[in-house]
Amino acid sequence: MQVVKAHVLPLTNVCFNKTGTKFITGSYDRTCKVWDTASGEELHTLEGHKNVVYAIAFNNPFGDKIATGSFDKTCKLWDAESGRCFHTFRGHTAEIVSLAFNQQSTIVATGSMDKTAKLWDVHSGAELFTLAGHGEEIVNISFNMTGSKLLTASFDHKLKVWDSKSGRLLKTLVGHRGEISSAEFSFDGAMIVSGSIDKSCKVWESDTGRMLTSLGGHSDEVMDVKFSFTGALLATASADTTVRVYSTETFELVSTLTGHESEINTVCFNPQGTRLLTASADKTARLWDPLTGKCVQILEGHTEEIFSCAFNYDGDTIITGSKDNSCRLWR
């Protein structure tokens, strides 16, 4: 285990490049830092934003570019090797709180508190489309694997599916009765999962927009939802301190993960789908067997709430980001 004293102010997010050789941290100190995973050494500090760097991403699977979205209303595109800034995307009228690259690394999508999403050309830096229609801020944004569709999730209780080539609205998914916290496409793009403060998780057919199921069972808001990469399982993490794992074929409950003492902020599967990682306000992260619900390991050491966690592609290294201004690498 290695402690990286990352920033002088709290972190907002952490993520790996696909190979896991580098990771990045965003912070309230207005920077994003690039780190070498093996040594824990800082490679670059990406400076230039005038406010909190909130949303960060590598253009995986390539990993040669980094996007940073800030409360200064701009998104910046950087060279991951040199730390040079390629483009500054300007146009949002409020804070950027979510962003994503398409798998082809040709488009960056940004979601903002101005209730719009924007698509930007990675190569030229030009704005391609503004996606308007949500009634509240867009808190979550993601592409399907082929990059043909974009999903936006909003505090207006709705999800929208857009054609990323034309910027056209394809479907609006209505059914949640509270703000949406998290949403994503399944690996094959056939399904969409969403979690909400209405305590439910809903699964939708992405082509038709039809709701396939609404999964209850949590006694408090759902903070995060994730499909496994194989597509067989679905996990929902809640403020009720538990995670529920479901089969995506039958939507039956496979296991309930109990042990955390406070709300669970994030959940993620390892790429193999054999382990589940949770990050909690109880200052621990936990590693689980998703099929049995057994806790395999407790990752202790952070002195404040853990809000972010990730596996590398091989699934043998874990990163956790905490409000104690540090991130930890677990091998």
Side-chain angles (χ1 to χ4, degrees):
M1 197 277 298
Q2 189 173 17
V3 183
V4 179
K5 256 309 198 197
H7 295 266
V8 287
L9 290 173
L11 283 77
T12 53
N13 235 315
V14 297
C15 61
F16 280 110
N17 64 353
K18 181 162 178 178
T19 54
T21 54
K22 292 177 185 170
F23 67 94
I24 50 177
T25 54
S27 172
Y28 279 83
D29 70 9
R30 306 178 177 192
T31 71
C32 172
K33 292 188 178 187
V34 188
W35 307 84
D36 178 77
T37 307
S39 66
E41 295 293 306
E42 183 185 318
L43 298 173
H44 301 290
T45 298
L46 309 181
E47 291 179 295
H49 281 297
K50 297 181 171 57
N51 208 327
V52 175
V53 174
Y54 193 76
I56 57 175
F58 273 104
N59 66 331
N60 291 334
F62 306 101
D64 63 333
K65 295 184 182 72
I66 294 163
T68 55
S70 170
F71 286 2
D72 70 8
K73 308 171 194 172
T74 72
C75 172
K76 289 180 184 284
L77 186 71
W78 313 80
D79 184 327
E81 299 305 315
S82 68
R84 186 169 71 86
C85 183
F86 289 126
H87 303 297
T88 300
F89 303 130
R90 301 175 201 277
H92 280 296
T93 57
E95 295 91 331
I96 294 173
V97 290
S98 56
L99 62 79
F101 282 96
N102 64 347
Q103 279 287 114
Q104 298 70 29
S105 190
T106 55
I107 300 171
V108 175
T110 52
S112 169
M113 291 178 69
D114 67 12
K115 307 174 190 175
T116 72
K118 287 179 186 285
L119 298 184
W120 313 84
D121 186 300
V122 165
H123 184 67
S124 70
E127 182 183 321
L128 299 170
F129 306 108
T130 295
L131 312 180
H134 278 296
E136 294 293 338
E137 68 187 82
I138 295 172
V139 291
N140 211 274
I141 198 160
S142 56
F143 286 93
N144 63 349
M145 277 300 285
T146 62
S148 61
K149 290 177 184 171
L150 181 77
L151 175 66
T152 54
S154 170
F155 276 180
D156 67 5
H157 311 181
K158 297 186 183 90
L159 303 119
K160 288 179 185 288
V161 182
W162 311 79
D163 182 314
S164 61
K165 305 279 186 289
S166 65
R168 194 167 59 87
L169 177 65
L170 299 174
K171 291 279 177 286
T172 299
L173 313 182
V174 183
H176 279 295
R177 292 191 305 278
E179 295 172 357
I180 294 167
S181 56
S182 175
E184 68 172 15
F185 284 100
S186 58
F187 195 71
D188 64 3
M191 290 187 287
I192 289 166
V193 63
S194 57
S196 165
I197 68 165
D198 68 11
K199 305 178 190 173
S200 81
C201 159
K202 297 185 191 300
V203 184
W204 317 78
E205 199 170 52
S206 62
D207 281 349
T208 63
R210 186 171 68 91
M211 193 196 300
L212 297 172
T213 185
S214 183
L215 303 170
H218 283 299
S219 60
D220 206 338
E221 54 196 73
V222 175
M223 310 289 285
D224 197 18
V225 290
K226 290 276 169 41
F227 284 109
S228 64
F229 294 93
T230 56
L233 299 174
L234 162 66
T236 63
S238 171
D240 71 8
T241 76
T242 72
V243 170
R244 295 169 74 85
V245 180
Y246 296 91
S247 158
T248 55
E249 270 194 43
T250 61
F251 300 122
E252 282 174 11
L253 184 67
V254 175
S255 65
T256 304
L257 316 185
T258 58
H260 276 298
E261 289 161 20
S262 190
E263 66 185 47
I264 299 170
N265 293 318
T266 320
V267 61
C268 61
F269 284 92
N270 67 345
Q272 298 75 19
T274 55
R275 288 287 179 264
L276 198 62
L277 177 63
T278 52
S280 169
D282 69 11
K283 308 175 190 173
T284 72
R286 289 175 188 238
L287 205 52
W288 312 80
D289 182 323
L291 296 178
T292 64
K294 193 164 133 323
C295 180
V296 181
Q297 196 180 351
I298 301 175
L299 308 179
E300 291 179 288
H302 281 295
T303 56
E304 292 287 342
E305 176 171 350
I306 304 173
F307 55 81
S308 191
C309 62
F311 280 101
N312 67 340
Y313 187 67
D314 290 334
D316 59 10
T317 307
I318 287 167
I319 188 170
T320 52
S322 165
K323 284 189 176 165
D324 65 13
N325 302 7
S326 80
C327 52
R328 286 173 184 245
L329 289 163
W330 316 77
R331 293 184 176 88

